[in-house]
Amino acid sequence: MPEKELPRTVSRPVFNTYALTVCALLTALSVVLARVLTLIPAETTRISLEAVPIVLSGLLFGPIPGAVVIGCLFSPFGYNPIFCVPPILYGLLAGAVRRYVTDRPALLRTALAFFPAAIVGSVLWQSMALALVYGGDAKQAFFLAKLVSRSIQFALTGTVDTLIVWLLLRRGALNGVQRRIQVKGGAEHDHQ
């Protein structure tokens, strides 16, 4: 018996109690991945999978819910808004490309949800922000060093993040959530 095909993803953002609940769980997961299950080899370097739940929220619910699922608001080191730009970009971009990625999940399509935000936010913006905060008198040298190290770091973590989300999409792990969104989100799809 063939599997029932998933309805096309709604293109508009989903705002309801179910979306709020799932986004809250994804935010908690992002916090755990960012603060507990993370490697910190240096003061200004942190390796984690915190972008995965942020991107998932964007892919599932759209750009605005994706942008607000950010664990950087819950930091034991205090809140600094300049460090929240990259996670917000992950969620916004994933929400912007959600239909393209979720309708036909492919590895390169899934990478589109990660790598532009990783390059602009995590590599360029965050390197500049770290240089401003920690660079002291050698801000330019600090920025260039961070730019190189973060490029390598996010090439690797971005690849792992992409693979995780692609496998979740490919294996249908998110189909239940997507079906619920279709029903609760008032999707305009065929009832065949």
Side-chain angles (χ1 to χ4, degrees):
M1 182 171 166
E3 267 190 50
K4 186 176 178 181
E5 188 172 311
L6 203 77
R8 291 187 66 103
T9 306
V10 285
S11 58
R12 63 184 170 12
V14 177
F15 295 104
N16 58 29
T17 306
Y18 181 73
L20 182 63
T21 303
V22 173
C23 286
L25 290 170
L26 289 169
T27 300
L29 181 58
S30 178
V31 170
V32 169
L33 291 173
R35 306 294 173 236
V36 179
L37 300 174
T38 187
L39 298 171
I40 305 174
E43 179 183 13
T44 59
T45 304
R46 185 172 44 84
I47 300 169
S48 74
L49 299 173
E50 72 178 297
V52 171
I54 296 168
V55 168
L56 287 175
S57 67
L59 291 175
L60 291 169
F61 300 107
I64 302 302
V68 298
V69 174
I70 52 174
C72 66
L73 297 176
F74 308 99
S75 173
F77 310 111
Y79 171 72
N80 189 333
I82 66 171
F83 294 123
C84 288
V85 171
I88 291 169
L89 289 177
Y90 279 106
L92 282 174
L93 180 66
V97 299
R98 71 190 277 224
R99 183 174 215 148
Y100 180 73
V101 173
T102 58
D103 282 353
R104 289 186 22 224
L107 191 56
L108 290 177
R109 286 173 179 249
T110 307
L112 183 62
F114 280 98
F115 281 97
I119 293 166
V120 173
S122 294
V123 175
L124 292 173
W125 176 268
Q126 204 77 333
S127 295
M128 185 263 322
L130 289 167
L132 287 174
V133 174
Y134 297 105
D137 292 335
K139 286 183 181 15
Q140 185 175 6
F142 191 92
F143 169 74
L144 293 173
K146 280 291 153 194
L147 195 61
V148 171
S149 68
R150 292 180 73 78
S151 294
I152 295 166
Q153 174 187 342
F154 283 93
L156 297 173
T157 59
T159 300
V160 172
D161 291 343
T162 299
L163 284 170
I164 290 170
V165 171
W166 174 69
L167 286 171
L168 288 171
L169 292 170
R170 186 166 183 250
R171 297 289 183 186
L174 305 174
N175 286 356
V177 176
Q178 289 175 315
R179 280 192 189 95
R180 179 86 186 253
I181 293 168
Q182 298 301 322
V183 173
K184 295 290 183 184
E188 303 148 7
H189 62 279
D190 298 339
H191 295 284
Q192 298 177 354

